[in-house]
Amino acid sequence: MSPYAQMLSPLDLGHVVLPNRVLMGSMHTGLEETGDWNRVAEFYAERARGGVGLMVTGGMAPNREGGVFPGAAGLFTPADIANHRRVTDRVHAAGGRIAMQILHAGRYAYGPECVSASAVKSPISPFQPRALDETGIEKQISDIVTAAARAREAGYDGVEVMGSEGYFLNQFLVRHVNRRDDRWGGSYENRMRLPVEVVARVRAAVGRDFILIYRISLIDLVPDGSSWAEVVQLARAIEAAGASLLNTGIGWHEARVPTIATSVPRAAFTWLTARLRPEVGIPVIASNRINTPELAESILASGQADMVSMARPFLADPDFVAKAAAGRADEIAPCIACNQACLDHTFSGKISSCLVNPRAGHETELPVTPAAVPKAIAVVGAGPAGMAAAITAAGRGHRVTLFERAAEIGGQLTLAREVPGKEEFRGLVGWFATMIARSGVTLRLGTEAVPAALAGFDEVIIATGVSARDPGIATDPRASVLGYAEVLRGARVGARVAIVGAGGIGFDVAEYLTQSGESATLHPAEWRREWGVGDPALSPGGLAEPAPAAPARAVTLLQRKPEKPGRKLGKTTGWIHRAQLAARGVKMLGGVNYERIAPEGLHVSFGAARENPTLIEADAVVLCAGQTSNRGLAEALAALGRPCHIIGGADVAGELDAKRAIDQGTRLALSL
Ligand code: NAP
Ligand code: SF4
């Protein structure tokens, strides 16, 4: 029997039987807005071929005022319907099923036309919404119903009505946004009238033989959010109104609690899905931070849910289900929940992709084809760039030898995985090891590649990575100065620490050094305490007073730029790192000059005039001042007139991250 018997078992929805219990959750990819519908169709078709039971598209706007941003895609014209028909046809031809999400953003719509229950601005939007009158509410309902009918016309198998995450329907449910005193406000009966009416009228419009998913907010994580009794009341009413499935939503977008970042424990919120399940008769879907078939299986086998939703894991690996079913689960490329190439892209107006799988969203541009002429390829350096190049090239039929000076693979990833809250990187290194072995790459660990050893290869790829930059600060030999790599590998560090450099690694090192005991990411109850996640049955919205653990050390994080440290961290995760360090009492200083490092600490001054000399008392100074490229081998080859490809940190060290490294390695290997 498969170890994933529950996950792979069918789910009977009456008019249709889903082949398994895995839902690809909705993600905004930005592909629809490119206007390249072949690209959109191929994105979903590739995932349909990978065996997922049901997919949900990114949110489609029901009308202009409800779009997340001006120009957000929707089914407004016959041409739109025809475009969506290309997607559904391709998905059905691949044996898949797909539902369209209808997303009305309400006051989260990024534009002056936005509407809501009352004219109450969201803390994360510059736009004050217009309070809808009775006619306006009717228009919104009928636009949502029309979108559902058009989805059916476009060939979708169903729709998902987005009722969580603080969007339009969710806004009507809570008093702090819904200040109305008409039949749409006041009592809970009135506040939930809108979502219930929407579901009933969508059902009436699309008929019984159409999947209707409602995404319900189980814990709002905002002050004055819904109580658990209200959640249950709504769930029952939504079921009675005709929904086929209840999907889980966690936290409003304005919540100050992370809900999907990598530091959130896996399956951190399935206890709420488990609590809802016995209250209703329709299947409920668990969501958030589920990324392995083992976890999906345990959630289903323990009765916490009827189905499991994973979104980003299908960017990382479209074949998630097929590989699990074929007994090759260890080949599933893991989503590490970093957001770096998916949500961070979305919020920067770029197409969503994936750090682990740069082909995501670029399927038509980056097809994987067998090599026309299999070659002997040497890759030097088994960091992310080199490993990605090696496995991609070998997968295409090249004969690849991967040289690594260290005794293990991973490069900088072996440091990232030591940071509390970044445990997912362990799985990424493990996956690379599996794929190197399975793809037939010859791995030469503990081997420093020299030019002579590279003779005889048709192509040489240099991925020799980076070395920590020495910032050249005047240093007393009696002072304790450490590099970040030494620290993350376990060097002893005193009680008071000054960190030079407040980039991604400075922040990581500060988290590592202030962590007392084990990472809360591995201990969900502790994590909930730290972030103030309570029980919505006890406090509406499920917020409690955060109780961060006492920091293990006193840390000061410094940079020369006269700006707030951490400004350049990830768009969707930077706030989490800043909040975490603030909760641990880390002092952050910008605009410093490093004068000297002494046994008593780090002497700094401020500004161009080097004013205000200050001693940052510290038992140790840790250098996190960026990196420089390791190009010795590349230069030696160049001197011999031998061509090579240079990728990753060896190519450009500045602001290098695994996303750029893996992308560059993959693209190069696809071109050889
Ligand atoms: P980084 O982000 O470039 O930061 C380097 C830091 O060192 C900056 O704070 C810089 O600030 C300082 N610095 C640069 N030159 C210096 C000098 N000569 N003397 C003193 N200070 C100097 O590099 P990183 O922190 O090493 O990270 C490397 C890459 O990994 C980055 O792309 C980063 O985004 C990525 N990464 C990402 C994450 C993540 O969570 N997404 C985590 C870790 C690393 P000043 O010049 O203002 O002093
Ligand atoms: Fe997951 Fe990171 Fe890929 Fe996004 S970019 S899908 S979070 S691994």
Side-chain angles (χ1 to χ4, degrees), residues 312-313 315-316 334-343 353-356:
R312 298 171 296 172
L315 294 177
C335 165
I336 55 174
C338 64
N339 286 358
Q340 280 176 251
C342 51
L343 278 169
S353 187
C354 175
L355 174 142
V356 176

Side-chain angles (χ1 to χ4, degrees), residues 230-245:
E230 289 171 343
V231 171
V232 172
Q233 191 180 341
L234 175 66
R236 290 183 179 149
I238 293 289
E239 177 181 4
S244 344
L245 290 156

Side-chain angles (χ1 to χ4, degrees), residues 556-560 563 565 587-592 604 606 616:
T556 308
L557 187 58
L558 304 106
Q559 72 180 18
R560 298 170 304 173
E563 62 183 36
K587 290 198 195 90
M588 300 189 204
L589 292 178
V592 303
V604 298
F606 291 84
I616 312 291

